Amino acid sequence: VTRDEVGELAVAFNEMTEALGSSHGALEASERLYRDLFDNAQDVVFTTDMDHRFVTVNRAACAFWGYPEPELVGRGLFESIAPEDGEKLRETERDPKGGPPWPTVEVEAVRKDGKRAALEITSRWIVERDTASGIHAIGRDVTQRREREQATARFRDQLYQAEKLRALG
């Protein structure tokens, strides 16, 4: 081995080290941007494992269900929604090769304080090396929208009843 060959190896090693450092920095920047988006999203964002236990949850999910992150992570999704909706999800869950776990679905979530709220969930399978490893989901609190729709339906019914009484009188 000549001095020139050792020098060339040293230069190549230094270039590889610099490239690795640069790509590590880019990866860290990408992770920071993803984490910022995940944590600060206004919608409920979570992932579960194949047993439907929460693996990651964002701040909105913690606020929605009323649990701090350490209490929500590891908790079962089906423990966090109304039992009848859990059954509906179990019955309609698709195979990972057949599309998302569920079509966009509305469930009644059960919060830590026992109150219920309407949550619309869109989901997709997390697939690693052609094998499903969990579910990634985004939920939107639609409780107020449901309450407005119910109030509108009640008003229409009352109006209909009033018109029937007026017609009879």
Side-chain angles (χ1 to χ4, degrees):
V1 177
T2 66
R3 286 186 146 211
D4 288 343
E5 290 175 327
V6 171
E8 287 176 22
L9 283 171
V11 167
F13 180 77
N14 288 339
E15 288 173 353
M16 286 186 339
T17 302
E18 188 176 310
L20 184 60
S22 174
S23 100
H24 184 66
L27 183 60
E28 286 178 347
S30 176
E31 169 65 21
R32 276 193 306 276
L33 287 172
Y34 167 78
R35 179 52 63 186
D36 182 61
L37 176 65
F38 180 83
D39 283 339
N40 294 305
Q42 299 210 356
D43 286 332
V44 171
V45 182
F46 61 89
T47 59
T48 72
D49 59 19
M50 291 302 286
D51 293 324
H52 302 95
R53 297 207 169 280
F54 293 115
V55 175
T56 60
V57 293
N58 70 346
R59 290 181 188 140
C62 294
F64 177 77
W65 269 293
Y67 290 95
E69 183 179 352
E71 286 182 39
L72 196 52
V73 169
R75 184 177 176 77
L77 171 63
F78 295 136
E79 298 170 42
S80 305
I81 61 176
E84 60 276 12
D85 288 337
E87 287 304 314
K88 178 173 65 174
L89 289 182
R90 282 186 180 94
E91 290 170 4
T92 60
E93 187 168 293
R94 296 180 186 149
D95 182 87
K97 293 180 181 14
W102 312 286
T104 297
V105 62
E106 187 177 309
V107 297
E108 203 169 281
V110 180
R111 296 179 171 172
K112 184 176 183 176
D113 63 8
K115 292 182 181 173
R116 292 185 175 207
L119 184 67
E120 184 180 77
I121 299 174
T122 302
S123 61
R124 71 171 187 82
W125 289 105
I126 300 170
V127 179
E128 298 172 355
R129 293 182 212 101
D130 294 329
T131 304
S133 62
I135 296 170
H136 184 199
I138 299 174
R140 176 160 291 163
D141 184 350
V142 293
T143 306
Q144 290 178 342
R145 182 172 74 191
R146 288 293 157 254
E147 289 170 353
R148 282 191 306 271
E149 289 170 356
Q150 290 170 354
T152 300
R154 281 192 304 273
F155 176 74
R156 284 186 185 144
D157 188 47
Q158 289 170 350
L159 185 60
Y160 174 73
Q161 294 299 328
E163 286 176 3
K164 265 178 43 178
L165 288 174
R166 189 174 321 133
L168 288 173

